[in-house]
Amino acid sequence: MNDVAKVHHARQLRGSLRVPGDKSTSHRALMLSALAVGQSTITGLSPGADVLATSAIVQQLGAARDDDERLVLITGPDEGLRASAAPLDCGNSGTSMRLFCGVVSAIAGSHELVGDESLSKRPMDRVALPLGLMGARVSGHGELITPPLRVKSPEILHGVEYHVPVASAQVKSAVLLAGLAASSTTTIHEDVRTRSTTEEMLHATGVDLDIERVGEGRRITLTPGRPRRHDWYVPGDPSQAAFFAVLGAIHPDATLEVLSVEASPERVGFVGVLARMGADVRLVENGQFHVLHSRSSSLAATEIHAREIPSVDEVPILTVAACAASGVSAFRAMGELRLKESDRFSATMSLAKSLGCRVWSEGEDFFVEGVASAENFLEFTFASLLDHRMVMAAAVAGCAGNGCTIESASTVSSSYPHFFRDLALLQ
Ligand code: S3P
């Protein structure tokens, strides 16, 4: 792909589409299949580069991958995964790096994990600390333990009782994956319920988990055990559907639907936010999954707290919605945005500013004064900062508004290689 993408205003948007398979489910399907004995199948695996990195790593650790036309087939070795002498390259993918820290902590020996320029700036102390309590040593640069990482794993890990200090599904998952091979149970406490993909998928493989709701959060207790093989079906990624939900709502003449979307409560907080803003956006149940409908709407500002969107993945695109709304929207407790593929706190504010909106911040909160309609957006140029979600947020703003130029746009491939094709198909 040419690394500069030009997005033009679309006169009209119509149609239905399928977004890539859920990224979170895809990573875990590969990892759990590799940890199991025998052959598992995966339907609908995300084609993104992040998931490809995970696929290459499970093979490096000893799993076999054979694809047929529709299915990905992963066979976990009977004797379990083994350390690789070569570095495990996680590319742009924080999920790969954090979850593999958990997986390799349970493989005795020494491991090296590396990533691209963006991943090499991201903090891994959040997984190094609990895995250290279990007996593995994860080291990297400085206090934040940035990659490249070295993991020294003991012959036997012990279980841990750990209170995750930030709302992070990745930290929870790294500890649970390590806990599978520990000598005793592992208990995780989370104050905010983050996506439960790992727990649900572990449950499907027969691993013994006890989950209790505690206030706004959860306590999860895992009994060590080896996952059983499974036939995985990966539904559409709600975080990708969110881009089309906002596109439909802010475009002056749009009727869109996204088919077969995963809609667990921790993932679809964005739908409630958009509805509160007055958007004609609905999730309609269709068998096991949901169809997301979105139509042109007139939006009003709102107040959003990070609790509503745990993991804050949809904040950049909700900010684009706030830019097209009337009034001042407040985004509260958004500090975690700074630690994503780019510093999304400042990248999101700068995107809003380039659309012509007044933006300001106070501590962990930021504010956007919308310009009442995407028709009032300025044409703009945006640098992707190696951040796929910033590329897609900018593209939605350009398509609904008055066009844009996105530099280093190919980074969109880390989660959605066909994003620009799908966008064009709706026009
Ligand atoms: C993910 C968790 C989230 C999210 C990421 C995927 C996962 O990060 O941002 O895109 O698959 O567990 P947190 O660890 O901040 O929740």
Side-chain angles (χ1 to χ4, degrees):
M1 183 200 271
N2 179 337
D3 224 12
V4 172
K6 291 225 177 260
V7 179
H8 301 285
H9 168 72
R11 213 173 39 79
Q12 192 182 61
L13 296 168
R14 291 284 183 278
S16 32
L17 77 156
R18 281 175 194 276
V19 291
D22 181 44
K23 191 155 72 73
S24 295
T25 310
S26 297
H27 285 295
R28 289 156 173 86
L30 287 163
M31 292 179 190
L32 293 176
S33 301
L35 287 166
V37 180
Q39 192 172 66
S40 298
T41 67
I42 310 175
T43 308
L45 191 74
S46 160
D50 284 10
V51 170
L52 279 177
T54 288
S55 168
I57 293 172
V58 296
Q59 292 172 78
Q60 227 177 308
L61 296 173
R65 174 170 173 171
D66 310 280
D67 294 6
D68 78 9
E69 264 163 48
R70 290 173 312 111
L71 292 178
V72 172
L73 308 168
I74 301 286
T75 308
D78 292 355
E79 66 286 6
L81 299 177
R82 54 179 182 268
S84 163
L88 307 175
D89 189 351
C90 301
N92 190 245
S93 173
T95 310
S96 307
M97 189 168 279
R98 296 202 175 115
L99 270 56
F100 273 119
C101 279
V103 170
V104 302
S105 287
I107 306 174
S110 178
H111 315 270
E112 194 186 347
L113 290 95
V114 300
D116 72 1
E117 200 187 318
S118 146
L119 184 53
S120 298
K121 293 186 195 138
R122 298 182 67 188
M124 298 297 149
D125 55 337
R126 52 182 60 198
V127 288
L129 180 66
L131 295 171
L133 298 173
M134 299 176 84
R137 186 172 140 71
V138 180
S139 47
H141 281 298
E143 243 175 73
L144 295 179
I145 313 200
T146 52
L149 301 182
R150 167 76 56 193
V151 181
K152 290 228 157 74
S153 312
E155 288 297 329
I156 298 177
L157 278 181
H158 15 270
V160 70
E161 174 147 6
Y162 190 66
H163 195 126
V164 185
V166 279
S168 169
Q170 292 174 350
V171 175
K172 168 175 71 175
S173 304
V175 176
L176 290 173
L177 289 168
L180 286 174
S183 57
S184 53
T185 56
T186 287
T187 301
I188 296 279
H189 300 261
E190 60 177 8
D191 294 334
V192 174
R193 288 197 276 272
T194 62
R195 66 191 69 188
S196 53
T197 323
T198 300
E199 297 93 299
E200 280 157 26
M201 294 177 75
L202 281 171
H203 184 71
T205 66
V207 170
D208 183 6
L209 277 176
D210 182 58
I211 303 174
E212 250 182 279
R213 288 181 160 226
V214 182
E216 299 272 292
R218 287 195 187 99
R219 178 171 58 228
I220 304 147
T221 303
L222 170 132
T223 305
R226 195 161 178 186
R228 283 200 298 261
R229 67 153 302 282
H230 191 74
D231 295 316
W232 300 108
Y233 176 79
V234 184
D237 192 325
S239 304
Q240 310 290 19
F243 293 101
F244 296 99
V246 171
L247 177 61
I250 68 171
H251 189 281
D253 183 4
T255 304
L256 305 179
E257 56 183 26
V258 185
L259 305 172
S260 191
V261 178
E262 203 263 322
S264 56
E266 302 88 356
R267 300 296 301 278
V268 295
F270 70 89
V271 176
V273 172
L274 289 171
R276 203 160 71 221
M277 296 175 82
D280 188 355
V281 171
R282 282 168 304 123
L283 267 173
V284 178
E285 208 173 325
N286 183 14
Q288 219 184 328
F289 302 108
H290 285 71
V291 180
L292 182 98
H293 299 268
S294 178
R295 289 195 343 185
S296 306
S297 314
S298 181
L299 302 185
T302 190
E303 178 165 336
I304 300 160
H305 192 281
R307 263 193 314 270
E308 269 186 282
I309 324 277
S311 302
V312 296
D313 286 345
E314 295 77 27
V315 171
I317 192 60
L318 286 173
T319 304
V320 172
C323 291
S326 313
V328 175
S329 290
F331 291 80
R332 305 272 184 203
M334 294 293 166
E336 273 290 305
L337 275 182
R338 298 190 203 274
L339 305 175
K340 297 290 180 180
E341 284 81 333
S342 67
D343 172 354
R344 285 186 190 153
F345 194 97
S346 63
T348 300
M349 286 181 68
S350 96
L351 174 59
K353 204 165 163 192
S354 54
L355 294 175
C357 298
R358 205 162 69 81
V359 290
W360 64 99
S361 64
E362 286 165 20
E364 306 283 81
D365 301 341
F366 72 90
F367 304 86
V368 176
E369 182 169 9
V371 289
S373 161
E375 287 167 302
N376 298 327
F377 286 174
L378 303 176
E379 188 182 348
F380 65 101
T381 296
F382 191 75
S384 79
L385 307 164
L386 286 180
D387 188 334
H388 55 127
R389 293 198 207 281
M390 293 312 305
V391 172
M392 292 184 274
V396 165
C399 177
N402 290 299
C404 67
T405 302
I406 306 171
E407 293 162 0
S408 308
S410 61
T411 199
V412 76
S413 300
S414 54
S415 67
Y416 199 159
H418 306 305
F419 174 77
F420 286 103
R421 183 200 66 187
D422 287 356
L423 189 61
L425 286 174
L426 299 171
Q427 302 179 25

